[in-house]
Amino acid sequence: MIERFADGYRRWLLRKLPPGPLRDYCAVPLPRRAIDYRQVGYVALDFETTGLNPRRDHILSLGWVVVENVCLLLGTAEHRIIRLDCDIPAESAAIHRITDDQSATGETLNRALAALFATLTGRVLIVHHASIERGFLAATCRRLYGYPPPLRIIDTEVVARRVLDRRQIIYQASELRLHALAERYNLPRLNAHNALSDAIVTAELFLAQTAYQDAGRGFPLGDLLC
């Protein structure tokens, strides 16, 4: 049912959308849930935003990196700073270290999303705490293209929660944060609150989680999806 709905929505969008980045993305089928996860391509993505509400807050920057053949491809890493038409709140600048001057030299969100969707075509999205990226992607695509995008999403926070619940381990919510989980898996420490750094950590966490779950046997992509 989920498989048919997602692909049906994608094909419906193909009839509705004018030529552009989202239509080009929708022209390629989403990876099937039954396929071995090792045969799928992924894009680990992170947004830095001025707040948590996609209706009133703005995307400050995007970072992403591709995972193919169960390998992180650092040569594909992208960091895009977005040019805003408003001042960046002081509290956001303090956290993300993106200033008004940096934003002024950035690019339009439309252009950044076009590059993102070109990379994401035919691949699965990996994020940590998916409500942020899913919410901002949906809101932004509605504004730019008229419709939210069809997506296959893996949330590394959800994957971690499933593992801990299955092992009946008691945990605090703070232990599910991206860098706390990275430390749990002994992953390299990178700067937090930078879109590209967090995307790379998310990709590394995904590879660590799947290596733990896989044990060389493989399993269906659907076992990882939200």
Side-chain angles (χ1 to χ4, degrees):
M1 178 66 74
I2 295 173
E3 188 90 37
R4 289 198 300 270
F5 174 81
D7 196 59
Y9 176 59
R10 179 190 64 81
R11 287 185 279 106
W12 180 83
L13 279 180
L14 271 176
R15 298 194 297 270
K16 294 286 186 180
L17 289 167
L22 186 57
R23 193 183 193 283
D24 292 344
Y25 166 78
C26 290
V28 176
L30 299 171
R32 293 177 293 106
R33 297 174 63 90
I35 195 171
D36 189 317
Y37 87 96
R38 297 170 296 184
Q39 300 174 14
V40 180
Y42 304 88
V43 177
L45 172 70
D46 186 75
F47 289 166
E48 299 299 332
T49 65
T50 59
L52 301 179
N53 189 330
R55 293 184 178 181
R56 64 169 181 262
D57 294 314
H58 305 279
I59 298 173
L60 289 168
S61 64
L62 304 79
W64 68 82
V65 66
V66 171
V67 175
E68 292 276 5
N69 299 316
V70 203
C71 293
L72 191 159
L73 305 182
L74 279 176
T76 66
E78 295 278 353
H79 187 220
R80 306 291 182 104
I81 294 178
I82 303 306
R83 183 169 68 246
L84 299 184
D85 296 327
C86 59
D87 292 336
I88 297 174
E91 57 271 22
S92 293
I95 294 172
H96 306 301
R97 296 181 291 280
I98 297 174
T99 65
D100 289 326
D101 288 344
Q102 289 175 302
S103 177
T105 63
E107 62 186 311
T108 64
L109 186 55
N110 201 344
R111 182 175 177 180
L113 281 186
L116 172 63
F117 278 118
T119 304
L120 187 56
T121 299
R123 295 185 168 113
V124 174
L125 190 63
I126 307 172
V127 293
H128 192 82
H129 194 67
S131 62
I132 300 296
E133 281 74 19
R134 180 193 280 128
F136 276 89
L137 268 178
T140 303
C141 287
R142 282 192 183 98
R143 188 171 71 252
L144 295 177
Y145 312 125
Y147 303 93
L151 298 168
R152 289 271 192 261
I153 299 180
I154 294 171
D155 185 342
T156 49
E157 181 183 56
V158 172
V159 174
R161 186 183 299 118
R162 289 172 182 165
V163 170
L164 293 171
D165 288 345
R166 189 161 55 241
R167 297 173 64 186
Q168 298 183 325
I169 296 174
I170 298 173
Y171 55 89
Q172 302 294 322
S174 60
E175 295 177 73
L176 294 177
R177 292 174 182 163
L178 176 60
H179 289 269
L181 287 168
E183 185 175 344
R184 186 185 190 98
Y185 281 92
N186 295 314
L187 299 175
R189 179 180 290 273
L190 298 177
N191 291 332
H193 302 300
N194 174 279
L196 179 54
S197 293
D198 285 351
I200 290 172
V201 174
T202 300
E204 291 174 335
L205 176 59
F206 165 77
L207 290 172
Q209 290 173 323
T210 52
Y212 172 85
Q213 185 174 339
D214 186 347
R217 295 185 298 271
F219 51 83
L221 172 66
D223 289 359
L224 293 166
L225 296 173
C226 293

